[in-house]
Amino acid sequence: MKEKKTRVLIFSPALNAVSGVSTHVNMLLGSRLAQDFSLFHFQVGSEGRGEGKLQRLLRFILSPLQLAVMLLRYRIDVVHINTSMNTNAFWRDLTYLLVARLLRRRVVNQIHSGSSPAALFSSPFLKWLLRRFLLAADVVTVLSSETLAFHKAFDERIHVELVPNAIDTSGLLSVDRISREISAPVRLVYVGRIVRSKGLIDSLHALKMLKDQGAAFSLAVAGTGPDEAEVRQLAASLELSEMVTFLGPVFGEAKKSLWLSSDIQLFPTYHNEGLPYSILESLAAGCVPITCKVAAIPDVMQDGVHGIFVQPKAPAAVALALQRLAGDNAYWKQMSDAGHARIAEDYTVNRLADRFRSIYQRAVST
């Protein structure tokens, strides 16, 4: 008689939404996990829905009931919550966890934020409630060693494990990158949401310093976001328009091609966002990052080995790092090769699938 597969319900925004969590869940659903488990998707959040206020309110009221129906209908064994752990997500996911526990389902709570749980609420009662939320999960997973320490300090009883993000490396690790020509302008790239906290404005000021010194470069900006108009205006006011190209959002093969044809990633972020996919993709493609020691980034790369760390909000430091990389091709090539090898070793979808296979198996066996 064929053994019944464990059934896992994985939460995320719409699978076609432009969201890091949606990207993560799409990778899990398409991975070799599907050979060993029956995987189902439960849509949460407003991304990809196009709702009005009334529709959002109705969804908030009815979604716990919809979850209960799905758990019973599909005989789900494990509920895999993906949460960003902000105040809105907390109340939503607390409700979902209560439904799962009332129906005696196992719970994996994956946290995509890099912040400390102690910082979420100031009220002692709300801190107690957050502690109960974290303790109620069979396993809590986090993206960085720093966040792991935060959770252990918050309550050492929390069963927390480090499970870093991964990327689909097809078309990156297996493809030769487009060779860097010393005589050509240095090819710079930024991929991500255009928000002030990710350092793009600081990067433009750094490029202005280098331009004034006669340096040649090109910068491709792939993405969109709330600060795009400000960034475009700044590029024009700094007389960088001929050197900076705004591509809009780039996906799939076009994004892989962009990584492979770029020399240096400009990403001096001070946004505490967990583990940015753009860092992993950049390293996989051999595109050397200039970034900051925030969130899980120091878990992935070492300064001077895989890329260069700079202080946040320091355009002069970004300019100096660019000069070092652009002026020494052997130095750049050594980092490019090291980053490529780092991702192949620890940040593939197969590695991610293996980690969650173990977590699901332990959850149902306890």
Side-chain angles (χ1 to χ4, degrees):
M1 185 174 178
K2 188 176 181 180
E3 185 179 351
K4 170 185 171 290
K5 286 184 178 181
T6 297
R7 295 166 175 252
V8 183
L9 183 64
I10 307 178
F11 291 26
S12 81
L15 294 175
N16 62 353
V18 181
S19 157
V21 175
S22 295
T23 299
H24 168 74
V25 171
N26 273 309
M27 282 191 289
L28 290 179
L29 294 174
S31 75
R32 58 193 188 189
L33 270 179
Q35 300 171 12
D36 303 318
F37 302 89
S38 295
L39 304 179
F40 300 82
H41 177 245
F42 183 73
Q43 184 176 344
V44 300
S46 58
E47 291 172 285
R49 292 184 189 267
E51 298 173 317
K53 290 183 179 179
L54 179 59
Q55 290 170 308
R56 281 198 297 271
L57 177 61
L58 288 173
R59 174 171 52 80
F60 182 79
I61 295 170
L62 295 176
S63 62
L65 177 60
Q66 293 172 333
L67 173 60
V69 169
M70 194 166 186
L71 293 180
L72 294 170
R73 179 181 177 186
Y74 294 105
R75 301 186 302 255
I76 298 298
D77 302 297
V78 179
V79 171
H80 181 163
I81 297 172
N82 285 284
T83 182
S84 54
M85 195 55 83
N86 55 46
T87 53
N88 289 337
F90 169 74
W91 293 111
R92 178 197 69 201
D93 296 330
L94 174 63
T95 304
Y96 293 150
L97 182 140
L98 289 172
V99 171
R101 279 313 196 191
L102 285 170
L103 293 176
R104 300 182 180 275
R105 269 48 180 186
R106 300 297 186 180
V107 175
V108 174
N109 193 352
Q110 184 172 9
I111 296 174
H112 292 262
S113 165
S115 58
S116 168
L120 186 61
F121 297 118
S122 58
S123 160
F125 171 73
L126 293 180
K127 284 182 181 293
W128 173 85
L129 195 61
L130 174 59
R131 185 172 285 108
R132 301 313 306 172
F133 171 73
L134 293 169
L135 289 169
D138 294 276
V139 181
V140 174
T141 73
V142 295
L143 300 177
S144 73
S145 55
E146 180 183 58
T147 313
L148 182 77
F150 286 155
H151 282 75
K152 284 298 185 183
F154 186 63
D155 194 313
E156 63 182 12
R157 297 171 297 169
I158 299 170
H159 184 180
V160 58
E161 298 185 18
L162 174 60
V163 183
N165 279 340
I167 58 168
D168 176 6
T169 59
S170 62
L172 290 175
L173 290 181
S174 59
V175 177
D176 292 334
R177 62 175 289 110
I178 300 172
S179 299
R180 179 185 178 199
E181 297 180 10
I182 300 300
S183 59
V186 179
R187 301 167 301 184
L188 312 174
V189 66
Y190 172 91
V191 177
R193 293 188 72 236
I194 301 179
V195 292
R196 177 177 285 273
S197 61
K198 295 198 178 188
L200 186 52
I201 287 175
D202 301 316
S203 295
L204 291 180
H205 284 290
L207 296 183
K208 172 62 174 173
M209 297 176 191
L210 295 179
K211 181 190 174 189
D212 290 346
Q213 296 172 20
F217 57 84
S218 64
L219 170 63
V221 177
T224 188
D227 296 330
E228 181 177 355
E230 179 185 1
V231 170
R232 285 178 176 269
Q233 184 177 7
L234 179 62
S237 67
L238 295 177
E239 300 181 339
L240 298 174
S241 297
E242 293 184 0
M243 302 175 180
V244 179
T245 303
F246 291 88
L247 302 175
V250 177
F251 303 102
E253 295 304 314
K255 183 164 72 166
K256 292 176 182 178
S257 177
L258 179 62
W259 283 125
L260 291 166
S261 61
S262 300
D263 304 313
I264 298 170
Q265 178 197 23
L266 288 181
F267 195 66
T269 177
Y270 46 96
H271 184 74
N272 198 5
E273 57 185 307
L275 178 49
Y277 283 105
S278 66
I279 287 289
L280 301 181
E281 292 169 347
S282 178
L283 291 168
C287 179
V288 177
I290 295 174
T291 188
C292 299
K293 281 188 175 181
V294 297
I297 296 175
D299 288 351
V300 181
M301 56 175 277
Q302 297 177 44
D303 186 37
V305 177
H306 309 98
I308 295 180
F309 284 127
V310 295
Q311 290 297 315
K313 305 179 183 180
V318 175
L320 180 61
L322 271 171
Q323 283 180 316
R324 290 177 63 194
L325 287 170
D328 189 337
N329 192 54
Y331 183 57
W332 172 87
K333 183 66 165 59
Q334 182 179 338
M335 288 193 191
S336 175
D337 292 343
H340 188 87
R342 179 76 175 112
I343 299 305
E345 180 182 4
D346 283 322
Y347 294 93
T348 64
V349 174
N350 283 341
R351 188 275 309 163
L352 184 70
D354 290 343
R355 290 300 308 275
F356 277 106
R357 177 185 294 105
S358 174
I359 288 170
Y360 294 160
Q361 288 172 340
R362 283 184 279 125
V364 296
S365 63
T366 55

